Amino acid sequence: MAKVQLAPGRHHRVAAGHPWVYRTEVAHTYGNPEPGDFVDVVDARGRFLGNGFLNPQSMLMVRIMTHTPGVQADAQLVRQRITAAWQHRQRFLADTTCCRVVFGEADFLPGLIVDKFGDVVVVQTLALGIHQFWDVIIGTVQDLLHPRGIYERNDAAVRNLEGLPQRKGFVGSAFPTRFTVAENGLQIVVDVEKGQKTGYFVDQRENRASLRPLVTGKRVLDAFCHTGGFSLNAMAGGAAAVTAVDISGEALATARENAELNGFADRIQFTEANVFDYLRARDKQPGEFDVIVLDPPAFAKNKASLEGAARGYKEINLRAIKMLPPGGILVTCSCSYHMTPDLFRAVVTDAARDARRDLRLLAERAQGLDHPILVGYDESHYLKCNIYEVV
């Protein structure tokens, strides 16, 4: 087998379980491997670290798939890994109606995403190595999940970095791409063709449900509401009223549709606005809301944007804290993995200090169990959902 040797001192992160080898960490490549080949990764002294898919075009030059010498990536291994991922969801999720079946590196299938929305499955292959097994992936998904339809969402920009074309469409027979599914006992509209990512954000499912016992009889603001997931769960939890704010008119249209499907249309006020402006106009008039949910899009797309992102997170949390009365609840989220849990806590702490308010941390939550967090791979812990009481 061809091998990639790391430069002196550059092996520690990979040895601790991280599945990415950056191009800048590589000292030598032996055996003339081709892009997509499976290669061994060794440290500067030749000690085996793992093996994975090579792509010299990508900054992620090797995506490690196993830590066992001599293993070859073949159809059998891919099928075994997908099967194990599905068994993991069946073991730990009470309901697998809507869930992520495969979460890339965290399921030892680097670059592969498989999402299940009822009886429809969406597949993404975001790396060259795993994309070579497309037919195996589709066949395994059909055998395990028996979906009525499969949709390819390989329109992600990251594929350009891998030298792969963007594309999307039906895998096999066509079917309606916009439909409803059940989540937390609610009816939710999913659009696998035009929706964000693979069609719907299933990673917040458990966090949305955790809102319910906190909102009974309360007035709730759902900021960055998107298609209304937190708003619906607030209503299901007995909220007195919900105001849902988002800058996207298209997202709000779907949120209104979701509210109508669940009988909440007359109890949720939808507002199309820039959330920063909305909060800024209200932070000097506390008491309008008892619970505020902040679930913004990723502010930090990369390390270079982290400083600006921290300012953005601080601003929205500062204004939300000012708006809440004593005993009010703040549910604040970040889906930027560059915004680490420690840094996110620090940002909220700074916001509370500037607002001259005290906070109690009630819960620190992450993404759902169908998005497992792999120890040694911090990027797999990307979603933070912290719940505070303002005192």
Side-chain angles (χ1 to χ4, degrees):
M1 185 181 291
K3 66 181 178 181
V4 167
Q5 186 171 39
L6 304 188
R10 303 305 298 272
H11 66 283
H12 300 289
R13 183 177 48 79
V14 176
H18 200 285
W20 295 343
V21 174
Y22 292 97
R23 190 192 308 153
T24 53
E25 296 173 320
V26 174
H28 304 287
T29 300
Y30 300 98
N32 298 315
E34 297 292 326
D37 282 356
F38 206 59
V39 299
D40 283 347
V41 177
V42 299
D43 67 11
R45 296 172 60 184
R47 293 174 297 191
F48 178 82
L49 296 171
N51 38 40
F53 296 112
L54 175 76
N55 188 356
Q57 177 173 326
S58 174
M59 179 56 71
L60 303 183
M61 188 169 171
V62 182
R63 294 175 183 254
I64 291 176
M65 189 171 179
T66 86
H67 295 279
T68 304
V71 171
Q72 289 287 344
D74 56 18
Q76 181 179 0
L77 180 61
V78 172
R79 280 194 295 267
Q80 288 173 346
R81 292 283 170 85
I82 296 174
T83 301
W86 177 230
Q87 290 171 343
H88 176 85
R89 275 68 179 175
Q90 292 176 301
R91 178 184 179 189
F92 290 107
L93 297 184
D95 183 0
T96 58
T97 301
C98 287
C99 67
R100 176 149 293 182
V101 177
V102 177
F103 184 38
E105 282 81 342
D107 284 306
F108 309 101
L109 288 159
L112 177 61
I113 301 296
V114 179
D115 282 345
K116 179 178 180 291
F117 302 113
D119 56 2
V120 169
V121 173
V122 180
V123 181
Q124 289 182 319
T125 49
L126 304 178
L128 173 63
I130 200 68
H131 182 74
Q132 299 172 122
F133 293 91
W134 179 259
D135 291 342
V136 175
I137 293 164
I138 296 303
T140 305
V141 165
Q142 290 172 329
D143 291 342
L144 287 176
L145 304 178
H146 308 290
R148 70 178 172 92
I150 300 176
Y151 199 82
E152 177 183 7
R153 280 298 299 266
N154 277 330
D155 52 342
V158 69
R159 279 174 60 96
N160 297 338
L161 304 177
E162 291 283 315
L164 295 169
Q166 293 189 40
R167 67 189 197 191
K168 67 177 183 178
F170 298 104
V171 180
S173 300
F175 56 88
T177 56
R178 198 171 190 273
F179 50 89
T180 60
V181 297
E183 182 192 82
N184 296 334
L186 298 164
Q187 291 298 304
I188 306 290
V189 173
V190 172
D191 189 334
V192 298
E193 178 185 9
K194 299 177 182 177
Q196 292 289 323
K197 302 294 186 180
T198 60
Y200 180 65
F201 296 114
V202 293
D203 53 0
Q204 286 277 34
R205 177 188 59 253
E206 294 163 26
N207 296 329
R208 288 189 280 256
S210 75
L211 182 67
R212 295 186 182 188
L214 303 173
V215 300
T216 305
K218 305 297 184 182
R219 299 160 300 165
V220 179
L221 171 62
D222 182 8
F224 305 98
C225 70
H226 195 49
T227 58
F230 277 105
S231 295
L232 298 176
N233 279 273
M235 283 284 94
V242 173
T243 299
V245 182
D246 202 277
I247 198 170
S248 169
E250 185 176 353
L252 284 175
T254 302
R256 289 189 183 95
E257 186 176 355
N258 284 331
E260 291 170 0
L261 282 170
N262 292 281
F264 301 142
D266 59 338
R267 296 161 58 196
I268 303 177
Q269 177 184 335
F270 296 97
T271 301
E272 184 175 341
N274 181 305
V275 173
F276 284 86
D277 294 339
Y278 185 91
L279 296 176
R280 194 177 297 118
R282 287 163 173 77
D283 70 351
K284 294 181 175 60
Q285 300 174 357
E288 184 179 356
F289 302 104
D290 306 300
V291 179
I292 296 179
V293 179
L294 301 174
D295 184 23
F299 289 167
K301 300 289 188 180
N302 48 53
K303 284 187 177 180
S305 64
L306 185 56
E307 184 177 347
R311 289 194 298 269
Y313 284 117
K314 180 178 178 179
E315 179 178 347
I316 60 174
N317 281 280
L318 169 64
R319 299 191 185 282
I321 291 167
K322 284 183 174 181
M323 291 168 61
L324 287 166
I329 300 295
L330 173 65
V331 180
T332 182
C333 307
S334 168
C335 60
S336 304
Y337 76 78
H338 295 286
M339 178 64 60
T340 64
D342 288 346
L343 180 55
F344 189 52
R345 274 197 308 273
V347 166
V348 178
T349 299
D350 285 346
R353 184 181 301 115
D354 286 0
R356 298 185 178 180
R357 306 292 296 278
D358 292 319
L359 298 179
R360 286 195 184 106
L361 178 60
L362 302 180
E364 280 189 286
R365 303 180 59 86
Q367 64 260 28
L369 293 175
D370 54 341
H371 292 66
I373 297 171
L374 183 63
V375 174
Y377 176 40
D378 291 344
E379 288 83 353
S380 63
H381 185 182
Y382 68 96
L383 182 60
K384 283 73 60 180
C385 179
N386 294 353
I387 304 175
Y388 296 90
E389 179 191 17
V390 178
V391 294

